[in-house]
């Protein structure tokens, strides 16, 4: 393991709560919670470097957290089946306390489906060749039923914005998660059938409603691009690297969102003025490495490395060309400097580095065709 990866892995392990949660940013006042989205990627990174126990503890934590809300979820699904309009205040939360409890009333938007899809995907990757503990299987079954019922409900996106929209990366995450769950839960035929049907419907919806001028777009009726669209290929594998719609999307993401310090989330971002997000630059490096473009991946990773703090920590974002000073000041006065270090940034660097090293060695770390870097 490269020394930098070793430090990143150590950081992630040290900031895992005793119950299994990965805290988003232990030093940032607003992020002392475990997000499913961040955690799904972190667990995947730790699986890549052989830290299976840590990933297993995370998956167990998620399963216990959602099973505490089992009755609520069944009630929501029944109401939906009876034709009721979904009550967004009662949907599963996007983050939990380290003890695995929903954390209401922090004034944050909460109804977001993408993290649940990413969790199922990450869990299925984790479980390849292993059988799932019963409690984790129960949690995954519940989440699968929930997503199969609510996949087309408009909700906040991966950036916790746009409550009444259909976001492409959210629909894609849900589709990939349900597809993965169908393979994982083969002992529950009715759940598997519902998961397969919803996975297909969600993906068809993306192709029919989230493609504008031959490019995937940020959300329905919004033709802009968003950096989370890279996830459609890496890691979700919903499209091939060479898929023409994806290739055009990737070119546009780089043209519209890549700045001297890395990748923006989207052009009109105002959170801390809209900086360059390290986890997205590293995610783009991961994709290029997987597609065999090693030099491009190395350049992007070098960009990320330049932004390590003196203690080796990787921030969430850094101001860059075009960052709006008014909004940077506004958020800094409101919440203090933006999150640093951010666990998810460290995880994405580990994944990109693993892919690059795998490419160098001409083989995948995990030996499965899906993780083979060179084509
Ligand atoms: C981001 C989310 C992320 C959360 C915790 C938010 O600011 O928009 O994507 O999951 O922070 O890291």
């Amino acid at each position: 393991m490269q020394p930098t990866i070793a430090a990143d892995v150590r950081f992630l392990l040290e900031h895992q709560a005793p119950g299994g949660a990965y805290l988003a940013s232990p030093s940032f006042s607003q992020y002392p919670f475990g997000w499913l989205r961040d955690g799904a990627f972190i667990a995947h990174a730790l699986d890549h470097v052989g830290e299976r126990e840590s990933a297993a503890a995370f998956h167990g934590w998620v399963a216990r957290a959602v099973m505490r809300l089992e009755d609520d979820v069944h009630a929501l699904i029944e109401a939906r089946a009876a034709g009721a309009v979904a009550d967004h205040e009662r949907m599963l939360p996007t983050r939990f306390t380290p003890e695995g409890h929903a954390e209401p009333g922090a004034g944050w938007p909460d109804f977001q489906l993408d993290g649940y899809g990413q969790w199922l995907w990450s869990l299925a990757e984790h479980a390849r060749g292993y059988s799932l503990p019963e409690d984790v299987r129960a949690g995954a079954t519940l989440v699968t039923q929930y997503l199969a019922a609510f996949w087309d409900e408009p909700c906040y996106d991966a950036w916790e914005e746009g409550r009444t929209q259909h976001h492409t990366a959210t629909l894609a995450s849900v589709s990939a998660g349900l597809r993965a769950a169908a393979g994982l839960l083969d002992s529950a035929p009715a759940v598997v059938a519902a998961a397969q049907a919803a996975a297909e419907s969600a993906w068809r919806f993306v192709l029919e409603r989230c493609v504008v001028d031959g490019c995937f777009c940020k959300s329905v009726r919004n033709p802009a691009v968003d950096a989370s669209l890279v996830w459609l290929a890496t890691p979700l594998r919903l499209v091939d690297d060479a898929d023409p719609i994806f290739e055009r999307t990737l070119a546009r993401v780089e043209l519209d969102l890549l700045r001297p310090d890395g990748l923006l989330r989207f052009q009109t971002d105002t959170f801390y003025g809209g900086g360059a997000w390290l986890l997205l630059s590293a995610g783009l490096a991961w994709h290029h490495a997987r597609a065999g473009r090693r030099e491009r991946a190395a350049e992007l990773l070098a960009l990320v490395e330049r932004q390590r703090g003196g203690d080796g920590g990787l921030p969430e974002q850094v101001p860059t060309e075009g960052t709006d000073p008014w909004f940077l000041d506004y958020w800094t006065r409101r919440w203090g400097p933006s999150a640093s270090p951010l666990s998810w940034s460290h995880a994405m660097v580990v994944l990109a580095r693993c892919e690059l090293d795998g490419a160098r060695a001409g083989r995948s770390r995990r030996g499965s065709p899906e993780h083979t870097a060179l084509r």
Side-chain angles (χ1 to χ4, degrees):
M1 207 188 287
Q2 292 205 6
T4 41
I5 292 193
D8 293 317
V9 169
R10 202 165 47 245
F11 174 87
L12 294 172
L13 294 174
E14 280 172 7
H15 294 98
Q16 183 167 28
Y22 298 116
L23 303 183
S25 178
S27 54
F28 184 53
S29 61
Q30 306 299 317
Y31 289 4
F33 304 110
W35 266 258
L36 267 72
R37 172 185 311 116
D38 305 36
F41 285 94
I42 296 168
H44 191 56
L46 290 172
D47 269 337
H48 267 260
V49 295
E51 296 291 348
R52 236 195 107 68
E53 270 182 37
S54 166
F58 167 73
H59 294 305
W61 172 78
V62 176
R64 287 191 299 281
V66 294
M67 286 309 281
R68 282 194 192 103
L69 302 170
E70 184 182 12
D71 292 346
D72 297 347
V73 174
H74 285 306
L76 283 167
I77 294 172
E78 273 166 37
R80 174 71 158 207
V85 173
D87 178 353
H88 286 196
E89 299 301 318
R90 293 176 54 215
M91 305 304 273
L92 283 174
T94 195
R95 58 185 175 273
F96 292 90
T97 64
E99 296 74 32
H101 296 288
E103 163 274 331
W108 275 62
D110 216 20
F111 172 41
Q112 300 157 30
L113 291 172
D114 66 300
Y116 284 93
Q118 291 145 11
W119 177 59
L120 289 177
W121 161 81
S122 173
L123 177 64
E125 292 287 311
H126 172 79
R128 276 166 192 268
Y130 295 85
S131 56
L132 283 184
E134 236 0 271
D135 59 336
V136 178
R137 177 175 295 277
T141 304
L142 186 68
V143 168
T144 301
Q145 292 170 302
Y146 173 73
L147 290 183
F150 290 106
W151 68 267
D152 63 348
E153 188 64 26
C155 66
Y156 289 107
D157 67 5
W159 315 129
E160 326 213 291
E161 298 186 6
R163 179 173 184 161
T164 55
Q165 317 290 318
H166 274 133
H167 305 284
T168 308
T170 297
L171 288 156
S173 299
V174 169
S175 179
L178 285 172
R179 207 180 272 188
L184 194 62
L185 305 172
D186 50 9
S187 55
V191 179
V192 168
Q196 275 165 340
E200 272 172 40
S201 302
W203 186 240
R204 207 173 325 116
F205 189 98
V206 167
L207 294 176
E208 285 169 3
R209 311 236 24 220
C210 306
V211 178
V212 178
D213 293 336
C215 267
F216 292 110
C217 62
K218 181 171 169 58
S219 47
V220 171
R221 299 178 69 93
N222 181 350
V225 284
D226 186 292
S228 60
L229 292 170
V230 174
W231 302 342
L232 272 58
T234 304
L236 301 177
R237 308 302 302 259
L238 288 159
V239 287
D240 260 7
D241 309 330
D243 175 278
I245 303 177
F246 183 75
E247 276 194 328
R248 278 193 290 273
T249 308
L250 187 67
R252 244 195 97 190
V253 163
E254 296 207 348
L255 186 68
D256 291 358
L257 305 180
L258 197 54
R259 296 288 180 275
D261 303 287
L263 205 54
L264 308 182
R265 297 192 296 182
F266 54 96
Q267 267 184 336
T268 54
D269 196 359
T270 55
F271 187 50
Y272 283 91
W277 280 54
L278 276 68
L279 70 96
L280 293 174
S281 310
L284 185 61
W286 180 16
H287 173 71
H288 280 302
R290 244 203 58 240
R293 294 182 289 270
R294 292 190 45 221
E295 275 182 26
R296 184 83 184 114
E299 273 167 27
L300 286 159
L301 268 176
L303 232 172
V304 173
E305 287 299 337
R306 281 213 313 259
Q307 287 141 17
R308 271 189 201 272
D311 58 354
L314 293 169
E316 174 188 75
Q317 59 172 302
V318 290
T320 188
E321 188 184 291
T323 295
D324 185 305
W326 192 94
F327 277 109
L328 176 57
D329 180 58
Y330 170 81
W331 282 103
T332 309
R333 279 188 288 115
R334 190 169 168 176
W335 281 358
S338 75
S340 183
L342 184 83
S343 304
W344 190 8
S345 298
H346 286 267
M348 295 304 264
V349 164
V350 168
L351 285 162
R353 281 254 175 255
C354 284
E355 195 66 58
L356 205 53
D357 291 352
R360 195 168 298 143
R363 65 179 164 76
S364 137
R365 271 180 182 267
R366 300 182 67 199
S368 88
E370 258 131 307
H371 290 85
T372 305
L374 289 175
R375 327 189 128 247

